[in-house]
């Protein structure tokens, strides 16, 4: 058995001993809402970034179309209600960011942010995107940089560090503005994704929302499983409305299995 890097999927995917599965990993951009750069504390600026992104285009350019573009947080293949998956239980597209983006709406949010922040022009905004120094992550950062600069007129600088630095120093010490990362589920439940955004969990982002905290607390004692699932989904919707992060993709893992196995 060997996994196939995304760059080589096109070369191998049609071979008879190649298969794939969605592994539950979702990739996104963490946001340091307490950064010294004031734009990150502004919900309208965060929403502008999300609406400016065409995730289908991004996935083709950054991942050769291997992964699935995704616009929310909780992996759709999780268990949901009444034997259905999470994605079958809830119509994510009805409350998540539009998969192909919305440039007009993005600029509406940006103009609101400029007014609230007292910034004269989008060109006066400069942000820093941090990522690791491997080629895959560099490509992802450059695709996002191009999209945000061309759509919103802001300036995006890329800072590359090593893998050990980003997870050993940069994220734990909140030494960043926005950065690329992701999460794989520890168990089959939306809480494994949502708890990362609790006020009392500093998992690489200082974001906090009292309403989200209260909902997540309530799910720990709610015995009606369907009601509990609705609480978790409500928490996800609040995070989306608040622009707590920038969702990008759900991973598909391709692999080659020896024919003798």
């Amino acid at each position: 058995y060997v996994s196939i890097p995304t760059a080589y999927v096109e070369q191998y995917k049609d071979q008879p001993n190649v298969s794939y599965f969605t592994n539950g990993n979702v990739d996104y951009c963490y946001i340091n809402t307490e950064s010294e750069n004031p734009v990150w504390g502004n919900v309208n600026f965060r929403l502008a970034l999300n609406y400016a992104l065409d995730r289908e285009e991004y996935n083709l350019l950054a991942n050769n179309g291997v992964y699935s573009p995704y616009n929310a947080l909780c992996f759709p293949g999780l268990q949901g209600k009444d034997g259905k998956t999470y994605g079958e239980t809830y119509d994510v597209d009805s409350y998540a960011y539009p998969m192909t983006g919305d440039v007009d709406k993005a600029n509406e949010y940006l103009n609101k942010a400029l007014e609230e922040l007292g910034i004269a022009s989008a060109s006066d905004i400069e942000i820093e995107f941090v990522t690791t120094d491997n080629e895959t992550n560099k490509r992802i950062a450059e695709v996002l940089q191009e999209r945000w600069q061309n759509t919103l007129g802001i300036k995006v600088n890329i800072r590359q560090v090593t893998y050990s630095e980003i997870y050993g120093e940069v994220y734990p010490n909140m030494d960043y503005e926005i950065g690329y990362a992701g999460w794989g589920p520890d168990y089959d439940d939306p809480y494994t994704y949502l708890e990362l955004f609790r006020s009392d969990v500093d998992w690489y982002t200082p974001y906090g929302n009292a309403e989200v905290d209260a909902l997540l607390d309530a799910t720990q004692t709610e015995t009606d499983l369907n009601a509990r699932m609705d609480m978790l989904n409500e928490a996800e919707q609040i995070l989306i409305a608040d622009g707590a992060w920038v969702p990008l993709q759900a991973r598909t893992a391709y692999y080659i299995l020896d024919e003798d196995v």
Side-chain angles (χ1 to χ4, degrees):
Y1 167 95
V2 64
S3 61
I4 307 174
T6 56
Y8 296 96
V9 167
E10 187 65 31
Q11 180 179 341
Y12 288 97
K13 69 178 183 180
D14 294 326
Q15 293 190 11
N17 55 342
V18 169
S19 191
Y20 63 91
F21 62 96
T22 50
N23 62 9
N25 287 65
V26 293
D27 297 316
Y28 48 79
C29 298
Y30 282 117
I31 292 175
N32 183 355
T33 51
E34 295 180 0
S35 167
E36 293 182 1
N37 188 339
V39 299
W40 299 111
N42 185 278
V43 60
N44 285 312
F45 180 75
R46 301 194 301 265
L47 290 173
L49 292 182
N50 271 296
Y51 279 87
L53 185 59
D54 182 331
R55 289 167 173 82
E56 292 183 356
E57 177 189 63
Y58 154 83
N59 188 50
L60 289 173
L61 295 173
N63 304 310
N64 299 318
V66 172
Y67 296 154
S68 299
Y70 197 46
N71 53 355
L73 178 63
C74 300
F75 177 64
L78 294 170
Q79 62 176 334
K81 292 162 59 173
D82 302 322
K84 297 179 180 179
T85 65
Y86 188 82
E88 292 168 341
T89 302
Y90 303 104
D91 180 12
V92 174
D93 288 330
S94 68
Y95 58 80
Y97 310 115
M99 198 69 78
T100 56
D102 186 330
V103 174
D104 290 338
K105 202 161 188 177
N107 279 288
E108 284 181 23
Y109 282 121
L110 179 63
N111 289 331
K112 289 179 183 177
L114 292 174
E115 183 178 352
E116 291 166 353
L117 292 165
I119 298 175
S121 171
S123 60
D124 294 328
I125 294 179
E126 187 170 344
I127 64 174
E128 183 182 79
F129 189 98
V130 66
T131 186
T132 58
D133 54 1
N134 69 51
E135 285 304 311
T136 298
N137 287 9
K138 179 182 178 183
R139 185 175 179 182
I140 287 170
E142 289 174 345
V143 171
L144 294 172
Q145 177 191 50
E146 185 275 337
R147 181 67 182 180
W148 286 331
Q149 288 189 158
N150 288 353
T151 304
L152 300 174
I154 64 176
K155 183 175 182 180
V156 180
N157 299 314
I158 297 174
R159 173 164 65 112
Q160 290 184 283
V161 298
T162 65
Y163 184 90
S164 61
E165 286 175 327
I166 203 166
Y167 289 108
E169 300 175 18
V170 175
Y171 285 153
N173 295 324
M174 305 299 169
D175 179 28
Y176 77 100
E177 293 185 20
I178 184 171
Y180 174 72
W183 185 252
D186 293 312
Y187 45 87
D188 185 11
D189 188 78
Y191 194 93
T192 188
Y193 299 90
L194 295 165
E195 69 174 334
L196 303 179
F197 293 89
R198 289 184 60 107
S199 300
D200 55 357
V201 175
D202 289 330
W203 189 262
Y204 305 156
T205 175
Y207 176 86
N209 183 303
E211 193 175 357
V212 170
D213 292 345
L215 280 167
L216 295 183
D217 284 342
T219 66
Q220 302 303 290
T221 55
E222 177 57 63
T223 57
D224 183 324
L225 297 182
N226 285 345
R228 176 183 176 275
M229 192 62 65
D230 287 341
M231 290 176 180
L232 292 169
N233 180 254
E234 185 180 350
E236 181 184 39
Q237 293 193 41
I238 293 170
L239 292 173
I240 288 172
D242 210 20
W245 84 113
V246 180
L248 296 173
Q249 67 222 10
R251 292 194 198 183
T252 302
Y254 282 79
Y255 64 94
I256 304 174
L257 187 66
D258 189 286
E259 59 186 12
D260 294 332
V261 177

